[in-house]
Amino acid sequence: MSNVMTVDNVIPRTDIVKHADRLGAEIKHIKISDDLSDEVIAAINRLLLEHKVIFFRDQEHLDDAQQQRFAIRLGLLIPQQAMVDTKSEGVTAREMVPERSCRRADQMNMDDGSRVARPKISILRGAAIPPFGGDVVWSNTAAAYLDLPDPLRMLADNLWAVRCAAFDCTVTEGATEADKRRLDDVSTGTIYETTHPVVRVHPETGERVLSLGRSVQNFIGLQRYPSQKLFELLQSYLTAPENTVRWNWKSGDVAIWDNRATERYPVNEVGAHLAMGPAAIGGDMPRIKALKSSAAEAA
């Protein structure tokens, strides 16, 4: 039986409402829980691969424990994670960060072959949404790659980015002082720089995706200024309207997205509270080379 037939037999296409041309679909008439049948879980996973990010309204029944049980049905839940509140452009999110045992340097993808898991799926649950603001935008990184002109695509295919570790840089960005102190309790106190290819291959769909992220410092072989200009050029394809979907949150909404094929951007300056919950689901382990260093060396 084909994947299309599998989805159609479980979730009617009339219950799948696209929100943008290249990514994003709302799935209607499904109450998220760990009691969903294997067929429905398989259909949700298939729709996630197809649409990159999927949305569910009216899920007020969910709490952290129920969300975790549902996440386990979708895939392997990354263990040993701490919860912190982080803020970006006015949006407050309940984020998951690895505990000490999950982020030691010897568990990153190093030159010696040691590795660290990269979440493949994330789940975000709306908890308290203000009357205005709190929107989030996702971009389709596979479509952005295909939009690159041939010369720029050839450059991207051979380009490696230098970035600081997500825990130390992007997760702590905008965190409150109290949460930063909590992060210190699970941090080794080491600041890492890693390298990663700008273009990756999605392990399930085979699509080539443009992978940047907010923590890119520069590109290997380029100084900071030309790196910045090149980053802005590549980023413009990720944030192009045709490659993005914008979601206006209501209380009880749930968004599930494929981290391997999307990038996420809070866009409003008005606060919202979104509960990330125990929702990072383990996935592929891209090869990443650690470059440096301890906090003392960086000082």
Side-chain angles (χ1 to χ4, degrees):
M1 183 179 294
S2 70
N3 291 326
V4 173
M5 291 178 63
T6 300
V7 171
D8 288 345
N9 288 344
V10 177
I11 302 176
R13 286 289 163 173
T14 54
D15 288 349
I16 303 169
V17 180
K18 293 186 67 174
H19 278 256
D21 184 48
R22 294 183 171 183
L23 79 163
E26 179 183 349
I27 315 301
K28 295 180 175 293
H29 305 129
I30 287 182
K31 184 176 181 180
I32 290 177
S33 77
D34 62 325
D35 294 328
L36 293 173
S37 68
D38 290 343
E39 290 77 13
V40 172
I41 293 295
I44 289 174
N45 274 310
R46 176 54 50 186
L47 290 171
L48 186 60
L49 291 176
E50 178 182 349
H51 296 286
K52 318 299 185 190
V53 55
I54 54 179
F55 307 100
F56 299 82
R57 298 277 195 193
D58 304 319
Q59 306 295 320
E60 288 88 351
H61 63 283
L62 282 179
D63 57 22
D64 281 355
Q66 292 168 323
Q67 185 176 331
Q68 180 173 6
R69 292 194 296 269
F70 171 71
I72 291 172
R73 293 291 309 280
L74 290 180
L76 175 65
L77 195 70
I78 294 179
Q80 295 180 280
Q81 292 186 313
M83 298 285 293
V84 299
D85 287 330
T86 59
K87 294 183 179 180
S88 178
E89 299 188 28
V91 177
T92 302
R94 192 73 171 154
E95 299 277 2
M96 299 297 298
V97 299
E99 296 281 5
R100 180 189 298 270
S101 62
C102 288
R103 61 175 306 275
R104 293 184 353 233
D106 61 359
Q107 290 180 309
M108 300 176 69
N109 258 327
M110 306 280 282
D111 284 336
D112 62 4
S114 54
R115 300 187 297 175
V116 64
R118 178 172 181 256
K120 71 174 184 177
I121 298 171
S122 291
I123 303 175
L124 196 65
R125 186 180 82 249
I129 311 299
F132 304 98
D135 289 7
V136 178
V137 166
W138 285 265
S139 65
N140 183 335
T141 58
Y145 173 79
L146 291 176
D147 283 349
L148 296 175
D150 287 343
L152 189 54
R153 191 183 305 166
M154 292 176 62
L155 173 61
D157 284 337
N158 295 282
L159 197 62
W160 283 65
V162 178
R163 64 191 302 176
C164 60
F167 179 90
D168 296 292
C169 299
T170 59
V171 172
T172 57
E173 180 183 338
T176 65
E177 288 303 317
D179 281 334
K180 286 179 180 179
R181 287 193 294 271
R182 291 180 57 205
L183 288 172
D184 287 340
D185 293 336
V186 298
S187 170
T188 62
T190 299
I191 300 172
Y192 297 104
E193 282 189 353
T194 63
T195 64
H196 72 86
V198 168
V199 175
R200 290 172 171 162
V201 177
H202 193 290
E204 294 189 67
T205 66
E207 296 172 300
R208 298 179 75 83
V209 302
L210 185 61
S211 176
L212 291 178
R214 290 179 294 167
S215 60
V216 171
Q217 306 296 299
N218 62 280
F219 299 109
I220 291 180
L222 295 177
Q223 297 298 318
R224 284 293 179 93
Y225 182 76
S227 289
Q228 178 185 349
K229 294 304 179 183
L230 180 56
F231 177 88
E232 292 171 355
L233 176 59
L234 294 172
Q235 186 79 356
S236 69
Y237 288 89
L238 288 169
T239 58
E242 62 271 20
N243 290 331
T244 61
V245 63
R246 180 168 177 160
W247 185 250
N248 180 252
W249 286 89
K250 297 180 180 178
S251 182
D253 286 359
V254 170
I256 307 174
W257 67 96
D258 186 342
N259 283 300
R260 303 161 299 175
T262 61
E263 289 194 2
R264 176 173 65 106
Y265 314 92
V267 295
N268 287 107
E269 293 295 337
V270 181
H273 184 76
L274 304 173
M276 179 67 84
I281 298 173
D284 64 311
M285 295 183 178
R287 181 153 186 82
I288 299 175
K289 180 174 63 177
L291 296 180
K292 66 176 184 182
S293 63
S294 70
E297 290 170 343

